[in-house]
């Protein structure tokens, strides 16, 4: 029996996917539920499992765009599993090796189409070349035996940064559907929103003091879970969103949609690039809850298991360029959201404290926002509220009891 495998729908709004990588070869025997391909949608990369065991026949190439519901491969379920003999795919794989030798041989032939200088230039030519700062090996000699003549030197044109010995290869590869969609959305965010960025700085000393005092106990109590900066920033953001609800709103034509919940998109790095999974109802989570959820989503992203549902929605985004060493940036809004907070690296800097100069770990923070829906008062007030909470976390984020807030 021949089974037709069709592209399943990764989500309601997705009509097309792209074959990113075939994990099997044409003619291979596959087992039921074995991952046979990775497919890119405009939101995520997903694995395609075999629906039955048998010999597979591929009906699409890597890089092909395939409509949801289209046939991508056939599986002959009546075929017996090979035993002893090498799989069909391995035998076929040997054929191109012979052909590669045939096409590679002529490549060495056209090496010497031009005759560059094989003898020292004449004294007059040498002087001219020195004045022009041109190496004799960079021009073609027309004299006897390839010797550079005075006319060759006079007519030689200096080259701007002529390479001497380095490689000058290039490679052209098609962007994945996910990367193309990200590029499209970023350009749209710049072109279709009135995006502005406001900046501030945060003294991280109070957070560092709490982390240094309780991080070991937190890790021991909560099964190895780390007490990182993201939980403090997420809690500070949800507090600020409650104070400035316009930042937790979206524009839809002539209407504004506001939310009474905080679904915080957290930018995490994965093998397929930057992913932005969503921490749902972050305003209801404890420090432990935020850290656990971020860790869960980061592991899914790292392992390539992130789903469309994990990244759908979100009312506000936090991105941390500081982990890569960024000191200051203007993050781009994640549409249709209206705001994104950018974290940066922490550097000890001298600041004035009560009239005295002190050294403290400082972080620049940036809020990019859509000025069509968020005014300057709300944007600046929001960022100041984030700063206040981070610089006084014990009172504003922990109700004066760090142990209780950390569930210790």
């Amino acid at each position: 029996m021949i089974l037709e495998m069709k592209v399943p729908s990764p989500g309601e709004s997705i009509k097309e996917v792209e074959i990113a990588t075939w994990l099997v070869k044409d003619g291979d025997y596959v087992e039921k539920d074995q991952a046979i391909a990775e497919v890119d949608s405009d939101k995520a990369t997903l694995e395609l499992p075999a629906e039955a065991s048998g010999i597979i026949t591929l009906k699409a190439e890597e890089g092909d765009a395939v409509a949801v519901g289209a046939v991508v491969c056939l599986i002959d379920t009546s075929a017996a599993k090979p035993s002893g003999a090498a799989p069909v795919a391995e035998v076929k794989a040997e054929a191109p090796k012979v052909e590669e030798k045939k096409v590679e041989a002529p490549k060495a032939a056209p090496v010497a189409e031009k005759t560059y200088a094989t003898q020292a230039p004449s004294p007059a030519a040498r002087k001219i070349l020195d004045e022009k700062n041109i190496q004799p090996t960079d021009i073609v000699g027309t004299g006897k035996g390839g010797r550079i003549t005075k006319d060759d030197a006079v007519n030689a044109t200096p080259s701007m940064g002529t390479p001497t010995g380095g490689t000058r290869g290039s490679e052209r590869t098609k962007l994945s559907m996910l990367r193309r969609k990200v590029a499209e959305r970023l350009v749209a965010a710049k072109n279709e929103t009135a995006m502005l960025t406001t900046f501030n700085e945060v003294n991280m000393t109070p957070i560092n003091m709490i982390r240094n005092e309780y991080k070991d106990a937190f890790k021991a109590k909560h099964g190895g879970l780390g007490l990182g900066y993201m939980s403090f920033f997420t809690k500070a953001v949800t507090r600020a969103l409650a104070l400035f609800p316009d930042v937790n709103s979206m524009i839809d034509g002539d209407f504004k949609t506001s939310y009474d919940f905080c679904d915080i998109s957290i930018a995490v790095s994965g093998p397929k690039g930057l992913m932005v999974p969503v921490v749902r109802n972050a305003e209801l989570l404890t420090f432990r809850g935020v850290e656990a959820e971020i860790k869960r989503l980061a592991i899914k992203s790292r392992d390539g298991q992130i789903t469309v549902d994990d990244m759908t929605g979100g009312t506000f985004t936090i991105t941390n360029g500081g982990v890569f060493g960024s000191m200051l940036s203007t993050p781009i809004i994640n549409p249709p959201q209206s705001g994104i907070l950018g974290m940066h690296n922490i550097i000890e800097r001298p600041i004035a404290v009560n009239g005295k100069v002190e050294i403290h770990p400082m972080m620049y923070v940036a809020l990019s926002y859509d000025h069509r829906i968020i005014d300057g008062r709300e944007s600046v007030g929001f960022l100041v509220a984030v700063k206040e909470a981070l610089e006084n976390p014990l009172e504003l984020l922990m109700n004066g009891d760090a142990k209780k807030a950390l569930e210790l």
Side-chain angles (χ1 to χ4, degrees):
M1 175 182 174
I2 302 298
L3 172 69
E4 292 184 340
M5 271 198 60
K6 300 179 180 180
V7 178
S9 175
E12 292 183 5
S13 62
I14 299 175
K15 306 298 182 184
E16 186 180 71
V17 299
E18 185 175 283
I19 304 298
T21 307
W22 281 110
L23 304 177
V24 295
K25 298 182 179 66
D26 195 45
D28 276 359
Y29 185 89
V30 298
E31 300 282 358
K32 183 179 179 181
D33 296 327
Q34 174 186 345
I36 60 174
E38 290 183 350
V39 296
D40 283 342
S41 72
D42 58 9
K43 293 184 178 179
T45 298
L46 308 171
E47 286 188 346
L48 186 66
E51 296 177 5
S53 300
I55 298 294
I56 192 168
T57 301
L58 308 184
K59 305 299 286 185
E61 301 289 337
E62 290 184 357
D64 284 355
V66 184
V68 170
V71 176
V72 288
C73 65
L74 306 176
I75 299 179
D76 184 358
T77 59
S78 61
K81 182 177 182 179
S83 59
V88 177
E90 292 183 9
V91 176
K92 288 186 177 182
E94 295 177 1
K97 294 182 180 178
V98 178
E99 295 179 358
E100 287 175 2
K101 293 180 180 178
K102 293 179 181 178
V103 297
E104 287 178 0
K107 290 183 179 178
V111 168
E113 290 182 356
K114 291 184 178 181
T115 302
Y116 286 85
T118 57
Q119 298 183 21
S122 67
R126 165 65 72 181
K127 182 179 179 181
I128 295 172
L129 292 178
D130 288 343
E131 290 174 352
K132 292 185 175 183
N133 196 26
I134 298 176
Q135 295 296 321
T137 54
D138 292 339
I139 64 174
V140 178
T142 60
K144 184 176 181 180
R147 187 179 181 88
I148 298 174
T149 65
K150 180 179 179 181
D151 287 341
D152 294 332
V154 170
N155 296 325
T157 303
S159 125
M160 300 302 291
T162 300
T164 54
T167 61
R168 291 178 57 79
S170 64
E171 181 181 7
R172 188 171 184 265
T173 57
K174 187 176 182 180
L175 296 175
S176 69
M177 182 177 286
L178 176 61
R179 176 53 60 183
R180 296 199 303 271
K181 187 63 177 181
V182 169
E184 178 185 320
R185 286 167 62 86
L186 292 177
V187 172
K190 294 284 286 185
N191 293 339
E192 298 173 8
T193 66
M195 193 176 79
L196 291 178
T197 305
T198 184
F199 304 94
N200 215 314
E201 63 179 357
V202 177
N203 185 344
M204 300 295 290
T205 298
I207 291 179
N208 284 348
M209 291 175 62
I210 292 174
R211 291 182 69 241
N212 291 337
E213 183 175 356
Y214 296 110
K215 64 181 180 181
D216 292 339
F218 186 87
K219 188 173 184 178
K221 178 68 179 292
H222 302 302
L225 197 63
L227 179 60
Y229 291 112
M230 284 305 302
S231 55
F232 287 92
F233 273 82
T234 302
K235 298 290 286 183
V237 162
T238 58
R239 174 183 177 273
L241 289 175
L243 296 173
F244 298 92
D246 278 352
V247 185
N248 201 38
S249 302
M250 299 180 189
I251 193 168
D252 182 11
D254 294 333
F255 296 87
K256 177 178 73 173
T257 302
S258 300
Y259 302 93
D260 61 358
F261 57 87
C262 301
D263 283 358
I264 306 299
S265 303
I266 304 291
V268 296
S269 182
K272 296 293 182 179
L274 197 66
M275 302 291 181
V276 194
V278 181
V279 177
R280 311 286 178 185
N281 285 107
E283 78 280 4
L284 303 179
L285 297 178
T286 63
F287 281 83
R288 180 191 62 81
V290 172
E291 292 290 354
E293 184 64 3
I294 292 176
K295 181 178 180 180
R296 182 185 72 84
L297 293 170
I299 291 174
K300 289 187 70 175
S301 178
R302 180 198 65 195
D303 296 342
Q305 301 298 317
I306 205 77
T307 66
V308 173
D309 289 341
D310 290 326
M311 295 189 292
T312 300
T315 62
F316 186 87
T317 295
I318 301 175
T319 181
N320 185 6
V323 296
F324 305 111
S326 173
M327 184 177 183
L328 192 61
S329 68
T330 55
I332 298 179
I333 296 170
N334 181 18
Q337 298 173 19
S338 299
I340 179 172
L341 179 72
M343 301 167 56
H344 300 90
N345 61 355
I346 300 172
I347 297 179
E348 289 193 340
R349 297 201 305 272
I351 63 171
V353 179
N354 297 323
K356 297 181 180 179
V357 176
E358 297 181 5
I359 304 296
H360 286 272
M362 303 297 294
M363 175 194 287
Y364 289 120
V365 288
L367 173 71
S368 292
Y369 61 98
D370 189 345
H371 205 356
R372 296 177 302 167
I373 195 171
I374 303 171
D375 291 332
R377 173 185 172 275
E378 281 72 26
S379 61
V380 174
F382 172 88
L383 197 56
V384 169
V386 170
K387 170 185 170 68
E388 290 173 346
L390 294 173
E391 293 186 338
N392 189 10
L394 185 61
E395 297 300 324
L396 299 181
L397 301 180
M398 296 178 162
N399 294 320
D401 192 339
K403 286 187 176 181
K404 184 177 180 180
L406 299 175
E407 303 173 63
L408 299 178

